[in-house]
Amino acid sequence: MPTAAGKTENGKPVVGILALQGSVAEHERALKRVGVNTVRVLKAEHLDGLDGIILPGGESTTIGKLLKLFDIFEPLKVKIESGLPVFGTCAGLILLAKEIEGEQPHLAAMDIRVRRNAYGRQIDSFCSRAVIPEFSGAPLELVFIRAPWIEKVFGKARVVAEIDGHIAAARQDNMLVTSFHPELTSDITVHQYFTDMVKARMKDMRGKDAETEA
Ligand code: GLN
């Protein structure tokens, strides 16, 4: 695990994984396979120097409370709103939504309305397969665990995947969300897609730095 000082070591992007609760090791494994350095984010200073961040699955209510308890909530919201690439899976998707049915939102950053535990108790966990052209031409294995779905996108958000009539992935500028868990499969396609978002932002930032220096 690189330390804060080692974040930019060997020029690889550095992606933080919010590590308050949820599937952290699985995201680390996937990111390592796509050639990214990872940092576990447990306090606000771990956000410094990150090129992107993953908000993993877990329980959104708990993660939302822990974000405040550990004073990460505000700095994280500011970073996301100023363009830090973020990938929210499942509970992470819920944390990013501007609207949650019947509840107050958390980070309220993304123009989506979500319904928690939308698939109901009986089938609250299941696997499916589908081609999501934005990610790949090959079918992806999709793992849903007490998953939300996106009721609607509005404003600047757009649908990336609709599975069986429900929106399961969306994108808005620097934000990507999936209601399923790509980190629980051996397929790194979605992590590769997110890493491309991270690299594009790094290139943009370098361009801006060069302009300032010129
Ligand atoms: N059911 C959880 C929630 O509402 C999300 C489940 C998950 O992240 N796998 O927060």
Side-chain angles (χ1 to χ4, degrees):
M1 186 72 46
T3 58
K7 276 182 188 175
T8 50
E9 153 200 40
N10 64 25
K12 287 183 182 179
V14 182
V15 170
I17 303 163
L18 185 67
L20 301 174
Q21 197 221 23
S23 48
V24 176
E26 293 84 354
H27 279 295
E28 274 170 359
R29 217 170 300 143
L31 287 174
K32 290 211 168 94
R33 284 179 58 205
V34 294
V36 163
N37 286 339
T38 60
V39 170
R40 290 190 179 199
V41 175
L42 283 154
K43 31 180 156 164
E45 59 245 50
H46 296 156
L47 295 170
D48 295 341
L50 294 182
D51 300 310
I53 187 163
I54 289 184
L55 309 183
E59 195 61 34
S60 52
T61 321
T62 307
I63 303 176
K65 280 186 192 148
L66 292 173
L67 278 175
K68 290 200 168 136
L69 198 68
F70 287 77
D71 294 322
I72 305 175
F73 187 93
E74 277 306 322
L76 176 62
K77 186 170 162 63
V78 169
K79 292 233 178 226
I80 292 170
E81 285 172 353
S82 44
L84 181 73
V86 56
F87 174 22
T89 53
C90 207
L93 172 158
I94 298 167
L95 289 170
L96 286 167
K98 277 196 185 155
E99 295 181 12
I100 305 174
E101 296 212 329
E103 288 175 43
Q104 288 305 306
H106 300 276
L107 293 163
M110 190 166 180
D111 296 340
I112 54 174
R113 178 174 181 81
V114 306
R115 182 186 298 192
R116 292 181 64 200
N117 303 324
Y119 293 93
R121 286 199 177 169
Q122 268 60 304
I123 49 157
D124 53 11
S125 301
F126 62 99
C127 293
S128 178
R129 273 175 91 78
V131 173
I132 301 175
E134 176 130 355
F135 294 143
S136 160
L140 287 177
E141 194 187 337
L142 309 173
V143 179
F144 293 86
I145 302 172
R146 286 174 46 79
W149 68 47
I150 299 173
E151 280 288 331
K152 63 166 187 172
V153 300
F154 51 92
K156 291 172 74 191
R158 64 181 171 82
V159 175
V160 165
E162 208 172 294
I163 309 292
D164 297 335
H166 300 294
I167 305 167
R171 168 97 193 252
Q172 178 179 339
D173 303 323
N174 56 317
M175 295 178 272
L176 171 70
V177 290
T178 63
S179 60
F180 49 89
H181 289 264
E183 78 284 7
L184 297 183
T185 73
S186 56
D187 191 325
I188 51 173
T189 304
V190 184
H191 287 82
Q192 183 65 64
Y193 176 96
F194 177 60
T195 302
D196 290 344
M197 284 170 60
V198 170
K199 287 183 177 166
R201 168 111 190 306
M202 289 168 78
K203 202 168 155 216
D204 260 21
M205 301 285 281
R206 277 198 299 271
K208 282 199 187 110
D209 285 351
E211 265 169 42
T212 327
E213 276 160 27

